[in-house]
Amino acid sequence: MIRIFKSEETRIKTLEAPEEGCWIALTNPSDNELSEVTRRYGIDQNDLRAPLDEEERSRIGIEDSYTLVLVDIPVIEERNNKDWYGTIPLSIIVCDKVIITVCLEDTPILTDFMKGKVKNFHTHMKTRFILQILYRNASMYLNYLRIIDKKSDMVEKNLHKSQRNKELIELLELEKSLVYFTTSLRSNEVVLEKLLKVDTIKKYPEDEDLLEDVIIENKQAIEMDNIYSGILSGMMDAFASVISNNQNIVMKALSVITIVMSIPTIIYSAYGMNMNVKGMPLAGNPHGFIIVIVVSVVLSLVVALWFSKKNMFR
């Protein structure tokens, strides 16, 4: 899908055909749309297709007629019938007369620009537009990281009640999301550092504060991601230890019960053998059966009481 926008005074106008100073937004574009953009602006089609590959790395590419800025943006993905988080590439291509964005799917980062919700946004101010996209991208990472932190707290509360596989899998999914974020944020940091040195993208004094804000926001996102990753990793290890400890407690209790129940079993097994009754104690006593049962029960109770004093049932 291809959409064309241009800012006019205080509003964003949708165009039918490209004009100088416009913004061309490509979302999961078709081959025909890619070919049309390539023909009109002389952009290598491999650069246009780069953000359509989810594994494409963040980078800056400088060509004769355009400059490519490719970063990773956070997205919500559905896994196991629940919303989790991942990243996909977004490219910003700066040409002489237009600016082009290419992404695999619609993202709130660009949607707000399209709806005119971003202050001081002008399609012809390419440098500021790039910085505004990067700033909102870093802010989106921070927002999703806060949501991940809240989700991990909820999962932790559920784990205190029941150590089930469901909660552990949810923790694993959250940890996976944080790994995606860590890799993408560090790649974006390299792009921001290189953006400072690129001469093909003009730097204006009025945009210096915005560039500093972008770098600060991205670093904050990296630090927050590292903190949450450490907390989540420690939580996973702690609950793994708790589950292992609970299993050991259960196995210990079962072993103690087995020992206690084996006492009457040994006695009954001895009396159940086909042996001469003259050699068996109490074999000639009319109350011998009851006496043997009482003795075995008493011995079991004595052993059970001893184990209880040693806290072996806990």
Side-chain angles (χ1 to χ4, degrees), residues 85 142-152 174 228:
Y85 301 93
L142 288 171
N143 183 42
Y144 284 168
L145 284 168
R146 294 187 186 98
I147 295 174
I148 289 175
D149 183 47
K150 291 179 180 178
K151 281 191 172 184
S152 65
L174 291 175
Y228 291 163

Side-chain angles (χ1 to χ4, degrees), residues 21-76:
C22 72
W23 163 34
I24 301 175
L26 297 173
T27 305
N28 195 15
S30 63
D31 291 338
N32 292 335
E33 291 171 339
L34 292 174
S35 299
E36 175 62 23
V37 174
T38 298
R39 182 190 62 79
R40 185 184 290 268
Y41 299 104
I43 301 172
D44 188 346
Q45 195 161 128
N46 289 329
D47 287 336
L48 284 175
R49 290 184 180 276
L52 304 181
D53 180 7
E54 294 184 0
E55 303 300 325
E56 187 69 24
R57 61 182 179 84
S58 301
R59 56 187 171 88
I60 291 181
I62 302 173
E63 302 296 337
D64 295 334
S65 58
Y66 64 91
T67 300
L68 168 69
V69 179
L70 197 149
V71 294
D72 285 330
I73 63 173
V75 293
I76 297 176

Side-chain angles (χ1 to χ4, degrees), residues 10-30:
T10 58
R11 67 187 185 93
I12 302 299
K13 180 181 178 183
T14 303
L15 304 179
E16 295 296 331
E19 296 179 2
E20 184 175 347
C22 72
W23 163 34
I24 301 175
L26 297 173
T27 305
N28 195 15
S30 63

